[in-house]
Amino acid sequence: PALPQAVQQLGRWIGESGNALVYGGSKSGLMGLLADSVLAAGGRVTGVDPKCFLDAELQHEGLTELIVTEDIPARKTKMIELGDAFIAFPGGTGTLEEIAEVMSKVSLKHLEAPCILYDLDGYYTGLRMLLDHMIELGLSSKERQKGICFAKDLPEIQKILQSSL
């Protein structure tokens, strides 16, 4: 129950604060709920959907804008291109794959945007430990991981975003 509630809170804030959501365009799951929450709060939502999802009729119908890409890699590239900040909500392997690319681009300084892992109820504790372990082994550094942040709630997300402006 904490996940949908946190998603709706984040969506309301995005919509009410004048920010916009760019996401994968799905009508289902937590991301569909996030899009609905942003739209209900008067915000703009851009969905980026690969053709294969349109064929399966998985896209959200009420978006402000829908961008169709050839495939999933092009979708991820477009979402990264359009994003000013990246927030990874608890999710599955697709979320992990997407946020890993953002973390890599941030650490290589190919992307100047905060990468925030929404660590709701400690969901990303294991990933945080892995990143710390990389630093301990000399495979990464605090400097390289500077733009990768963990936030336990919306106020922490807001603080990270405000300090990155």
Side-chain angles (χ1 to χ4, degrees), residues 51-83:
K51 274 197 239 179
C52 62
F53 284 6
L54 292 178
D55 296 341
E57 299 181 2
L58 299 173
Q59 78 279 3
H60 194 294
E61 298 292 331
L63 303 176
T64 310
E65 180 181 7
L66 177 63
I67 298 170
V68 179
T69 63
E70 189 61 35
D71 54 24
I72 291 175
R75 168 200 203 195
K76 182 173 50 175
T77 298
K78 188 65 172 176
M79 287 192 301
I80 291 171
E81 176 187 310
L82 295 173

Side-chain angles (χ1 to χ4, degrees), residues 131-160:
L131 292 172
D132 288 344
H133 189 59
M134 290 174 183
I135 292 170
E136 290 167 10
L137 293 177
L139 301 172
S140 186
S141 67
K142 287 186 185 280
E143 178 59 32
R144 288 190 76 123
Q145 293 184 21
K146 186 177 179 197
I148 303 168
C149 309
F150 293 81
K152 70 180 183 326
D153 56 24
L154 180 56
E156 280 192 14
I157 290 171
Q158 292 167 325
K159 184 178 176 184
I160 293 164

Side-chain angles (χ1 to χ4, degrees), residues 16-151:
E16 291 171 356
S17 66
N19 290 298
L21 173 67
V22 175
Y23 84 117
S26 175
K27 67 182 174 185
S28 63
L30 293 173
M31 294 311 294
L33 183 59
L34 179 62
D36 288 340
S37 300
V38 173
L39 291 166
R44 293 182 43 83
V45 178
T46 299
V48 184
D49 254 340
K51 274 197 239 179
C52 62
F53 284 6
L54 292 178
D55 296 341
E57 299 181 2
L58 299 173
Q59 78 279 3
H60 194 294
E61 298 292 331
L63 303 176
T64 310
E65 180 181 7
L66 177 63
I67 298 170
V68 179
T69 63
E70 189 61 35
D71 54 24
I72 291 175
R75 168 200 203 195
K76 182 173 50 175
T77 298
K78 188 65 172 176
M79 287 192 301
I80 291 171
E81 176 187 310
L82 295 173
D84 294 324
F86 301 88
I87 302 171
F89 212 78
T93 55
T95 301
L96 182 60
E97 188 269 336
E98 289 172 349
I99 204 63
E101 182 163 342
V102 172
M103 288 190 301
S104 178
K105 287 181 179 294
V106 166
S107 71
L108 293 170
K109 308 298 184 229
H110 293 170
L111 187 58
E112 291 290 326
C115 174
I116 304 168
L117 293 117
Y118 196 154
D119 195 25
L120 186 68
D121 293 333
Y123 185 83
Y124 284 111
T125 299
L127 181 55
R128 181 189 299 224
M129 290 171 57
L130 177 60
L131 292 172
D132 288 344
H133 189 59
M134 290 174 183
I135 292 170
E136 290 167 10
L137 293 177
L139 301 172
S140 186
S141 67
K142 287 186 185 280
E143 178 59 32
R144 288 190 76 123
Q145 293 184 21
K146 186 177 179 197
I148 303 168
C149 309
F150 293 81

